[in-house]
Amino acid sequence: MSTPTIDTFLTAIADFLRIRSAVQIQDYLRVEPPVPDIYHTLGTEVRQFYPPDLEEDRLLEEKINSLLPEFDGEPDSVRGGSWPGFVEFMKSYLEFWRDVNFENLVDTHELLSALVNQCITALSNPSVGVVLLSTTRSLSIALSKLAITLDKRPDLTAHIFQRQAFMGGDDETVAKQTLVESTAELLQRAFTICLIDRSKSATARLAGKRTGIYTIANLVLKLLFQCGKTRLATQLFTNISQHSPPLSYYPASHRVTYLYYLGRYLFSNNQYLRGQTALQAAYEQCHPQCLKHRNLILIYLITANIILGRFPSATLFQRPEAAGLAEKFLPVCRAIAKGDLVGFQDSLSGEHRSWFLKKGILVPLKNRCEITIWRSLARKTFLLNGFQGDLKRAPTLNLTDILHLAQCLDARNPNKSPPFIDDDLESGEDETPTDLTWTMVEVEAIICSLIEQGFMHGYISHKQKKFAIQRGKERGLGTAVRIGFPPVYTVIAAKARAKGEEGYVPAWVSDGPQGGEALGGTVVNLSGARPVGS
């Protein structure tokens, strides 16, 4: 049986194994078109001489074993060789080129998943598996791109969910995974193998499979964010916190990508201060020429800062990576600063609403900024009509003034929706439209919430419907405003400082103790981090 292409291909792989050339093995084991004609010839030859059949599979395995050198079993051996897991991987690789049809993306994903699974199994060999780390990375990247492409083409994957629904029946406990989610689950195996590796080097801070920790982790995070299953990233971050070397040991591309996803994860879990710290570091470490990446980081960094009460500067919006962001975020910032409830809703519901929604920041801005707007409204009202205090009396703000101003703004809203009445109730004699305007009870509750959160300093007299500022012995122009309405970010940062959590970012591992191997390290502390645009 003459198989010149297969023989030549496996002989080249054998040579790379003998010298343990991970890079050459990666370059040779390609799966993404376009590829040289030799790969198509290889597939044709495997189809001709080793068609899908149990006996032919055995013969193909014997062919691979005959051409690949066997590893001698010594971990420190200069000469490398194959092992059972690698033989199975090479068999899967040849079968991939035998069966693949790149025009059928779903079947290609299935074949590539099987190939990656075999590659990860071969990678797990504690002695020589590291030679496949580069190949695992390249194959994982190819599989991730294909999974994301299919996720954007539901017309191609609809039959998969129909089959899952048929197999699961009415049982809601049967997990129904998307291709992206199943791909992320597969790659987490590679991540775990890299994380638990204990290879050491006398000349480098990183050695062995641990060099691939953040490459694989970033791919998993990208997939989880793509399919909207960010909660599944919790265990990954926990494992990194406990076992990863310091993040600073890794290249900038690894650090920036990881900090971006970590920041977004914390952001999605309402940990805005920690998320802002991670995103700020990602932005500062990202190369200035990577405008697309810096723009993506800025979107969430600006949003986190707005929620925390810090607005982007004009200088920031003038940077090339911030192109197009000013027209989206400036109306939001102006409305918050003015205490303009109507303007704030308009800024999020106008022409840019779909953009805010697509980026996943519409709901956080709506839910988290409303209380800040009420603080600004109360502050503006105090400056316009509040009692500034004297030697004997504390500065006070009449809550009725806030109520009237809020009602006035609400009445002037041109986009105000009419009260909703269910069709079944329209003919009811006792049904009257609900009054949706603000009430004194609601205003009191909002001011109490602001006081409780520390955004207003003082107390409420419910009987007199007034808010009084506790200024202590301080007097002077502007003292009442400064004490009664402290900056939002200052309050939030002070709370974190009081808990000993200032600059604390979970799952961001910093340098460990000197003179020892930093497996877990500590989380980084950035108490002196600069604000956006400074």
Side-chain angles (χ1 to χ4, degrees):
M1 183 185 299
S2 177
T3 55
T5 308
I6 296 176
D7 294 351
T8 302
F9 186 85
L10 291 176
T11 301
I13 293 294
D15 293 337
F16 301 150
L17 276 177
R18 287 190 183 93
I19 61 175
R20 295 191 175 188
S21 178
V23 174
Q24 286 180 297
I25 293 175
Q26 172 201 337
D27 291 341
Y28 218 62
L29 299 179
R30 299 173 63 175
V31 294
E32 289 185 277
V35 293
D37 291 339
I38 185 176
Y39 291 91
H40 299 292
T41 306
L42 179 68
T44 302
E45 201 168 277
V46 177
R47 269 193 303 274
Q48 180 180 356
F49 294 103
Y50 301 98
D53 179 81
L54 187 61
E55 177 62 23
E56 299 298 339
D57 286 350
R58 184 185 64 80
L59 294 176
L60 179 59
E61 186 174 340
E62 290 179 357
K63 164 71 78 172
I64 296 171
N65 273 315
S66 67
L67 293 173
L68 294 183
E70 186 176 354
F71 178 58
D72 60 14
E74 296 296 330
D76 297 328
S77 174
V78 176
R79 291 174 61 84
S82 68
W83 60 101
F86 186 82
V87 172
E88 285 296 323
F89 167 58
M90 286 308 305
K91 179 171 170 286
S92 294
Y93 183 81
L94 294 177
E95 290 173 344
F96 171 83
W97 278 107
R98 178 192 68 188
D99 302 331
V100 70
N101 175 13
F102 289 112
E103 294 182 358
N104 189 327
L105 296 182
V106 175
D107 287 350
T108 302
H109 180 272
E110 185 176 349
L111 289 170
L112 189 54
S113 295
L115 178 62
V116 172
N117 184 53
Q118 287 295 339
C119 185
I120 294 172
T121 301
L123 175 71
S124 64
N125 186 289
S127 301
V128 287
V130 67
V131 76
L132 278 179
L133 179 60
S134 297
T135 303
T136 303
R137 277 189 284 216
S138 64
L139 294 181
S140 298
I141 291 172
L143 181 61
S144 299
K145 289 194 294 186
L146 181 56
I148 292 174
T149 298
L150 285 169
D151 191 61
K152 298 175 181 178
R153 291 288 306 276
D155 56 306
L156 298 178
T157 57
H159 68 283
I160 298 177
F161 299 110
Q162 292 173 358
R163 184 170 66 233
Q164 289 180 348
F166 176 78
M167 297 295 292
D170 296 329
D171 188 359
E172 296 182 356
T173 62
V174 177
K176 297 177 176 60
Q177 288 186 325
T178 64
L179 292 181
V180 173
E181 190 176 350
S182 62
T183 302
E185 185 177 307
L186 174 61
L187 297 190
Q188 286 198 65
R189 283 187 55 219
F191 164 75
T192 303
I193 291 170
C194 293
L195 192 66
I196 64 176
D197 184 55
R198 290 296 179 266
S199 301
K200 296 181 180 180
S201 171
T203 58
R205 293 185 295 183
L206 289 175
K209 302 166 193 171
R210 294 169 75 81
T211 58
I213 288 176
Y214 285 98
T215 299
I216 306 299
N218 290 337
L219 286 175
V220 173
L221 292 171
K222 182 177 183 178
L223 291 167
L224 292 178
F225 273 90
Q226 174 67 29
C227 66
K229 299 293 182 66
T230 54
R231 59 182 176 79
L232 298 178
T234 303
Q235 189 60 50
L236 182 146
F237 287 124
T238 300
N239 292 338
I240 284 179
S241 296
Q242 296 174 349
H243 303 293
S244 173
L247 182 61
S248 60
Y249 289 4
Y250 291 82
S253 59
H254 296 196
R255 299 195 308 267
V256 170
T257 305
Y258 177 74
L259 288 172
Y260 165 72
Y261 283 118
L262 176 59
R264 284 196 59 185
Y265 171 81
L266 295 169
F267 181 97
S268 67
N269 284 276
N270 301 325
Q271 300 183 48
Y272 299 108
L273 186 59
R274 295 173 177 178
Q276 181 271 339
T277 304
L279 290 166
Q280 179 73 43
Y283 178 71
E284 292 179 347
Q285 295 181 39
C286 188
H287 196 282
Q289 294 182 357
C290 299
L291 299 182
K292 182 179 178 180
H293 298 87
R294 287 169 69 86
N295 175 270
L296 193 58
I297 297 170
L298 266 184
I299 291 171
Y300 298 96
L301 179 56
I302 291 174
T303 304
N305 273 287
I306 290 175
I307 292 173
L308 294 171
R310 296 202 298 185
F311 299 153
S313 65
T315 304
L316 179 67
F317 283 133
Q318 292 173 0
R319 296 178 182 177
E321 63 267 23
L325 297 183
E327 61 189 36
K328 299 177 178 70
F329 285 109
L330 276 181
V332 177
C333 296
R334 293 193 186 106
I336 295 174
K338 292 178 180 178
D340 185 356
L341 293 163
V342 176
F344 176 72
Q345 295 298 330
D346 290 345
S347 66
L348 295 178
S349 303
E351 59 179 317
H352 301 302
R353 182 182 184 279
S354 59
W355 183 86
F356 284 113
L357 189 61
K358 180 181 178 181
K359 297 300 181 181
I361 58 179
L362 178 65
V363 174
L365 284 171
K366 275 190 171 183
N367 291 346
R368 294 291 173 172
C369 292
E370 185 173 342
I371 194 69
T372 312
I373 298 171
W374 278 98
R375 172 198 169 276
S376 297
L377 181 63
R379 184 177 181 275
K380 291 286 186 182
T381 307
F382 177 76
L383 290 172
L384 291 172
N385 203 40
F387 174 63
Q388 302 297 319
D390 53 27
L391 293 176
K392 295 183 178 181
R393 293 176 296 175
T396 57
L397 170 61
N398 197 324
L399 300 185
T400 305
D401 293 341
I402 301 178
L403 174 61
H404 289 164
L405 189 53
Q407 290 176 338
C408 180
L409 289 171
D410 190 57
R412 292 182 179 180
N413 183 5
N415 301 318
K416 183 177 179 181
S417 302
F420 172 76
I421 302 177
D422 193 283
D423 293 338
D424 296 335
L425 301 177
E426 281 189 330
S427 59
E429 296 180 359
D430 297 330
E431 301 300 331
T432 56
T434 304
D435 185 5
L436 298 181
T437 57
W438 299 102
T439 65
M440 178 57 71
V441 173
E442 291 171 327
V443 170
E444 287 187 65
I446 291 170
I447 299 302
C448 286
S449 176
L450 285 165
I451 295 172
E452 178 65 23
Q453 295 180 64
F455 299 148
M456 290 174 64
H457 185 64
Y459 59 92
I460 282 183
S461 170
H462 293 283
K463 183 177 180 180
Q464 299 181 18
K465 307 298 181 187
K466 289 184 178 182
F467 165 71
I469 297 175
Q470 293 177 310
R471 59 179 178 178
K473 296 181 180 180
E474 292 191 55
R475 300 291 186 272
L477 186 64
T479 300
V481 175
R482 178 173 55 82
I483 296 177
F485 303 91
V488 172
Y489 181 80
T490 302
V491 173
I492 295 174
K495 289 180 180 179
R497 193 179 307 114
K499 295 178 181 178
E501 297 180 353
E502 185 183 20
Y504 170 74
V505 181
W508 181 358
V509 184
S510 66
D511 290 354
Q514 296 294 326
E517 183 183 13
L519 298 181
T522 56
V523 294
V524 74
N525 189 302
L526 284 185
S527 57
R530 302 194 309 275
V532 177
S534 63

